[in-house]
Amino acid sequence: MTAHHPSEQLLHRYSRGDDDIPADQLWGVESHLESCAPCRGRLAPDPTAQAVWTNLEPLLDRTPQMSRARARWRVHGWVSPAAGPWLAMILLVTAAAVALDRVGFVVGERVSLVVLIAPALPVLGVAASWGRSLDPAHEVTAATPRAGLPLVLRRTVAVLAVVVPGLAAAGVLTGVGFVRWLLPCLAFTVGTLALGTLIGVTRAAVVLIAAWALVIVAPTIAFSRMAVALDPAAAPVWAGLLVAGLAVLAARRMAFARLEVNR
Amino acid sequence: MTAPTTYAWEIEARDLRVRAGRRMAVDGVTLTMGRGVHGLLGPNGAGKTTLIRALATVLKPATGELSLLGGMDFRELRRRIGYLPQEFGHHRRFTVREFVAYVAWLKEMRDIPAAVQRAVERVGLADRADDRMKTLSGGMIRRVGIAQAIVNDPEILLLDEPTAGLDPAQRLRFRELLAEIGTDTCVVVSTHLVEDVAAACTDVVLLSQGKLVFQGTPEQLAAKGTAGHAGDSPIERGYSALLGLPHRPGTW
């Protein structure tokens, strides 16, 4: 606006905060600065910013700064922090089953160990992801807004993402068809969660592992032949159980936001 | 600056009954709590932990009414609650920062790194923030527990036995932190240490066998006791008087 810019000396006194500047000059400088960007630029370096910076600089060396590179919670949005070792164990068991099959260890006549272990493996992973006994931070987790069916399903997907490819590879190596292990495996997974909404995930895992030992493993060993339950003809039954489990899950989805489910 | 609220009390319970296993651990409690630090006192098995779990919405009340922050959507409500359980389980391989960030993610927060830094600094663990949890002492773990509870700047902060494992100097600092948070937050602290209540709380709630025995200021609690009751301080004597503990040295 005004063509008359304040002198260097006046501007310096103003920026230093001198209180002996005549009122009319002070007013003039202030209103001029409001409308004149080049003169505001002449004020720099801003003494206030300078003072703050001198106080802050020594502190910065002592205070550790946030590291940006490692954002672990992004991974643990899917994989429960407690499940890591269990997922590794699941892969090891699968590999061991394949190895035993390969060296010709058979239970009775041509019973594949891969088919035998398929239903039990994901149950362990699910229990590790949502059980009180295996996840130490279960109570903190249960009280957060994310606790609930969506988080449970994410973690289950993570377990299946390890179990299913592992079993698929094992199936290819040992020549076992998809149908024979995939449906029991999925039915047991959903069954653990569905039963878990009623009696708690850890207890559900124990019950289902016991059922697996009694109904599938014991007859196989006792009669030296594949249990009827793992026959391809039993596929519709497994599919039915899978659907029933999903229905229970949908109906009782709010249970996962409570502490009782961790039992 | 805190926005005005549409409710009278942060926590309002009417005839609340909560089950712990088969037992009715909280048996008909009616109380209201506003902003400030509320000390939850009572002997072991009085129902303190069960009440705090019900306030943290992880246990569903059997009967009665519980209204938190005027009653709002379940997830929205949980975003405004901070909770430190009595048994604070943690993941040993996480660093302090990773663990607090993980909880912040579970609380559906935005701008997680800044909030984590602030929470870790408030509990005085900034210099250990990148150490793994398994290298920390018991008192430090407890402080991580407090950090994860306050990371979302909760409107209701629930702390179950937070001072267990803290040394005397840390407890003093913790009381300061409580007073600071209590100015604009409803803080509920369960403890069996009567002196914590005397020093840090604006309000005392005394539970016995699942029932509310007393609610009032620490001074009112102290006024209930007389020289004839067991205890070394006025508040302890008030506590014994209300619970009807006989003054018989040497017995449990």
Side-chain angles (χ1 to χ4, degrees):
Chain A
M1 246 188 355
T2 30
H4 187 73
H5 298 283
S7 69
E8 199 65 50
Q9 196 200 356
L10 181 59
L11 213 51
H12 181 69
R13 285 172 62 202
Y14 173 76
S15 67
R16 207 169 47 195
D18 284 5
D19 45 13
D20 57 348
I21 310 173
D24 57 331
Q25 282 187 33
L26 183 66
W27 183 84
V29 171
E30 228 150 50
S31 62
H32 177 82
L33 282 174
E34 273 173 23
S35 56
C36 179
C39 281
R40 281 202 299 276
R42 284 164 66 201
L43 281 173
D46 183 4
T48 319
Q50 201 69 38
V52 170
W53 186 244
T54 21
N55 286 334
L56 208 56
E57 209 172 14
L59 283 174
L60 284 179
D61 294 335
R62 281 193 281 122
T63 316
Q65 294 304 296
M66 186 76 196
S67 53
R68 300 197 171 273
R70 294 170 69 191
R72 215 169 167 162
W73 77 89
R74 285 185 211 284
V75 177
H76 291 299
W78 288 88
V79 186
S80 161
W86 292 88
L87 293 180
M89 193 205 74
I90 285 169
L91 286 180
L92 269 179
V93 171
T94 313
V98 172
L100 285 174
D101 259 13
R102 277 275 152 126
V103 296
F105 175 86
V106 280
V107 187
E109 44 168 304
R110 288 307 314 146
V111 177
S112 172
L113 276 173
V114 175
V115 177
L116 213 52
I117 59 161
L121 286 182
V123 176
L124 289 173
V126 170
S129 307
W130 211 260
R132 174 166 70 182
S133 46
L134 300 176
D135 182 359
H138 69 93
E139 196 165 347
V140 168
T141 312
T144 59
R146 256 187 228 273
L149 193 58
L151 185 63
V152 173
L153 290 183
R154 272 172 166 230
R155 290 183 169 182
T156 308
V157 165
V159 170
L160 289 176
V162 172
V163 172
V164 170
L167 285 174
V172 169
L173 286 173
T174 55
V176 178
F178 253 88
V179 194
R180 293 186 66 189
W181 59 264
L182 188 60
L183 274 176
C185 174
L186 292 180
F188 262 75
T189 312
V190 173
T192 315
L193 293 177
L195 193 58
T197 62
L198 301 169
I199 61 171
V201 169
T202 310
R203 288 186 199 168
V206 172
V207 167
L208 285 181
I209 293 277
W212 165 75
L214 276 175
V215 178
I216 296 174
V217 178
T220 308
I221 293 170
F223 304 116
S224 300
R225 53 182 288 270
M226 186 57 83
V228 191
L230 291 181
D231 199 83
V237 178
W238 288 115
L241 286 174
L242 181 61
V243 172
L246 286 173
V248 172
L249 261 191
R252 304 236 342 131
R253 62 185 176 279
M254 279 310 285
F256 284 103
R258 306 285 185 184
L259 203 57
E260 287 96 330
V261 170
N262 289 294
R263 280 180 304 193
Chain B
M1 218 39 171
T2 335
T5 55
T6 53
Y7 42 84
W9 305 97
E10 266 73 5
I11 297 173
E12 209 170 345
R14 200 166 308 130
D15 204 24
L16 190 71
R17 279 168 222 275
V18 193
R19 226 179 271 282
R22 293 210 171 82
R23 212 165 52 88
M24 195 64 86
V26 172
D27 197 3
V29 167
T30 301
L31 54 75
T32 53
M33 292 179 181
R35 286 176 186 166
V37 183
H38 307 268
L40 196 55
L41 271 179
N44 288 332
K48 301 190 295 281
T49 294
T50 307
L51 178 59
I52 287 214
R53 280 177 170 171
L55 297 180
T57 69
V58 293
L59 283 186
K60 199 176 177 176
T63 61
E65 262 178 62
L66 178 62
S67 166
L68 299 170
L69 301 177
M72 56 167 72
D73 172 62
F74 193 68
R75 285 178 83 147
E76 189 55 45
L77 171 64
R78 282 192 167 188
R79 276 184 216 137
R80 295 156 191 248
I81 292 181
Y83 173 45
L84 171 65
Q86 187 169 23
E87 284 162 38
F88 169 59
H90 57 275
H91 299 295
R92 289 165 49 79
R93 283 170 300 128
F94 277 46
T95 67
V96 173
R97 199 190 294 285
E98 282 167 353
F99 186 80
V100 179
Y102 174 58
V103 178
W105 179 82
L106 285 171
K107 291 184 181 181
E108 302 182 321
M109 290 179 60
R110 283 188 218 123
D111 195 14
I112 291 176
V116 170
Q117 181 70 33
R118 205 147 26 93
V120 168
E121 275 172 17
R122 282 182 97 174
V123 298
L125 282 176
D127 55 333
R128 301 296 300 268
D130 292 306
D131 290 0
R132 287 185 193 277
M133 302 270 278
K134 62 181 168 194
T135 65
L136 302 187
S137 70
M140 287 177 183
I141 298 278
R142 216 71 208 155
R143 278 145 73 194
V144 178
I146 296 163
Q148 64 80 24
I150 62 174
V151 69
N152 54 334
D153 288 321
E155 284 165 45
I156 295 180
L157 178 60
L158 306 162
L159 305 168
D160 201 350
E161 303 273 358
T163 50
L166 297 186
D167 68 33
Q170 289 168 348
R171 266 173 48 204
L172 287 179
R173 178 65 199 105
F174 172 71
R175 288 174 192 166
E176 281 170 32
L177 181 63
L178 270 194
E180 189 185 310
I181 297 172
T183 54
D184 60 351
T185 307
C186 172
V187 187
V188 184
V189 195
S190 113
T191 180
H192 54 260
L193 296 170
V194 181
E195 66 265 38
D196 279 348
V197 167
C201 297
T202 50
D203 180 55
V204 186
V205 173
L206 184 54
L207 284 183
S208 176
Q209 295 178 346
K211 302 220 188 298
L212 185 79
V213 179
F214 168 85
Q215 184 174 12
T217 63
E219 291 74 31
Q220 285 168 336
L221 176 61
K224 299 274 179 190
T226 62
H229 291 104
D232 300 323
S233 67
I235 289 215
E236 271 181 17
R237 286 192 282 273
Y239 175 85
S240 319
L242 282 166
L243 291 180
L245 298 181
H247 189 40
R248 275 180 300 181
T251 57
W252 290 89

